[in-house]
Amino acid sequence: MRRGRRSGLYTIVAVHSTARGPSLGGCRMWGYADSRDAVADALRLSRAMTFKAAVADLPLGGGKGVIMRRAGEPPLDPELRRAALLDFADTVDALEGRYMTAEDVGTSDADMTVIAERTPHVTGLAVERGSSGDPSRWTALGVQEAIHVACERVWGSRELAGRSVAVVGLGRVGGALARGLAAEGARLVAADVDESKRALAGALGAEWTDPESAMRADVDVVSPCALNAVLGAESIPALRCRAVAGAANNQLASEEAAALLMEREILWVPDFVANAGGIINISVELEPEGYAPERAEGRVRAIGDTLRTVLDDADAAGTTPLAAAMALGYRRLAEASAPPPAASLGAPPA
């Protein structure tokens, strides 16, 4: 945690694990009431990234970056924003490759280009630079695959034509997801706190409502794509869907919420399984062959296979999808941390 010498803003990097490889996680520029809240957010999100990467079987660990703005203050002017990005770049560079950054809430691929002026440990740069650019469409594609598998489990068919889905949050990921679902013939209920997103809902033929009503809509699937902690003791009893699968991070208000969903026979897809498309896409950038969108698409669509494994494990153990996904992540972390078998070290010298 540093206070930037250019901007005066706090820049924070949390590294949760490097057991499977360098930690990767986006840079979030967000408003917080207190610097302790910003640190807590970075720590919590870095842990989630560890399990997201491990469950997706990526050679990466979990980290997160935060540029802290003060809650309630207006967005940074261009000069101060650039200064904050350069300060954050210095914080990233101090870790000497143990953490790699990418865009996240409040930042863009253009911001990554600024950060890259001060450190090479940046991913998700613009397509024009041979990188993969905005990861939103890949995150949306992974969530769509997860919804296919959820429908397969609940209704015996992965077809979305005729299914009803409430997409709660029409930002970059939620908007891309809504377009994909509409293209497959799903009937949409759409919501966002930003009234300007109503135009997209209208173009897709979606029913427009407010986020709270969308969570309680009488639909087949609810897809939270904005706020975290939306599933808890108060909201779960009001759900009228059979499955929940969305892009938002940390959807459960507490781990006990997973059991409440199971008791109500609502299939919840662990968020860090469904929304791994972005980090999977970025991992392709790091391969020796360089980035290729067709390779990225195949890897992102494999989220469906990962989710089937998680749900099979949950059924076999009689536990929640959350517990099964966490157990899979712990196994993969343990395997990465274990010393190699003696036989793999080669024969002793004669």
Side-chain angles (χ1 to χ4, degrees):
M1 180 175 182
R2 295 179 165 196
R3 173 157 265 167
R5 63 182 178 85
R6 302 172 187 84
S7 66
L9 300 179
Y10 284 119
T11 61
I12 302 159
V13 172
V15 175
H16 181 263
S17 173
T18 55
R20 293 178 59 87
S23 65
L24 174 64
C27 169
R28 173 168 294 202
M29 188 181 291
W30 197 248
Y32 298 88
D34 187 279
S35 60
R36 290 168 294 187
D37 295 339
V39 171
D41 205 23
L43 291 168
R44 178 176 54 83
L45 292 166
S46 69
R47 179 178 183 270
M49 291 302 295
T50 291
F51 285 92
K52 185 180 296 191
V55 171
D57 205 17
L58 301 177
L60 296 168
K64 205 70 179 182
V66 167
I67 298 172
M68 179 190 162
R69 297 192 295 106
R70 284 287 178 185
E73 291 185 352
L76 306 182
D77 64 57
E79 184 178 349
L80 182 57
R81 183 184 185 89
R82 176 176 169 79
L85 292 167
L86 293 174
D87 286 336
F88 179 75
D90 288 342
T91 303
V92 171
D93 205 57
L95 287 163
E96 301 178 331
R98 291 189 293 275
Y99 167 73
M100 296 183 295
T101 197
E103 69 179 86
D104 194 12
V105 176
T107 60
S108 66
D109 58 355
D111 292 329
M112 296 305 107
T113 301
V114 176
I115 292 170
E117 293 178 21
R118 299 285 304 176
T119 181
H121 308 300
V122 185
T123 62
L125 294 167
V127 174
E128 294 76 18
R129 296 188 55 163
S131 197
S132 61
D134 183 355
S136 301
R137 69 185 181 103
W138 300 106
T139 304
L141 177 62
V143 175
Q144 193 162 333
E145 285 296 313
I147 291 174
H148 276 297
V149 174
C151 290
E152 181 181 287
R153 287 294 168 131
V154 176
W155 294 285
S157 170
R158 58 180 277 117
E159 295 300 317
L160 297 181
R163 290 276 164 226
S164 53
V165 184
V167 182
V168 190
L170 292 180
R172 286 183 295 184
V173 175
L177 175 63
R179 292 184 188 94
L181 296 172
E184 291 202 49
R187 179 176 65 81
L188 299 180
V189 174
D192 199 288
V193 293
D194 181 355
E195 275 287 325
S196 70
K197 300 296 171 54
R198 189 168 188 162
L200 173 59
L204 298 177
E207 176 188 341
W208 177 259
T209 187
D210 62 275
E212 189 174 338
S213 297
M215 289 294 297
R216 300 193 305 265
D218 185 7
V219 292
D220 296 321
V221 182
V222 166
S223 186
C225 294
L227 298 177
N228 59 16
V230 293
L231 298 169
E234 293 184 5
S235 61
I236 290 172
L239 293 175
R240 302 167 72 189
C241 59
R242 291 289 309 282
V244 178
N249 287 307
N250 303 308
Q251 294 166 20
L252 302 183
S254 67
E255 293 193 1
E256 290 74 22
L260 292 176
L261 288 160
M262 188 175 178
E263 286 173 13
R264 286 213 56 206
E265 298 184 346
I266 296 172
L267 174 63
W268 178 68
V269 175
D271 41 46
F272 57 92
V273 178
N275 65 16
I279 189 175
I280 292 171
N281 172 63
I282 285 175
S283 74
V284 177
E285 288 186 31
L286 307 176
E287 295 176 352
E289 309 94 301
Y291 181 72
E294 60 275 6
R295 271 206 327 280
E297 180 173 348
R299 307 277 174 80
V300 172
R301 289 191 183 278
I303 284 175
D305 296 328
T306 301
L307 178 56
R308 289 186 187 92
T309 297
V310 168
L311 297 179
D312 287 344
D313 289 351
D315 288 345
T319 189
T320 66
L322 173 63
M326 292 295 290
L328 177 59
Y330 277 119
R331 287 199 303 273
R332 288 182 169 162
L333 287 167
E335 290 163 3
S337 302
S344 71
L345 300 178

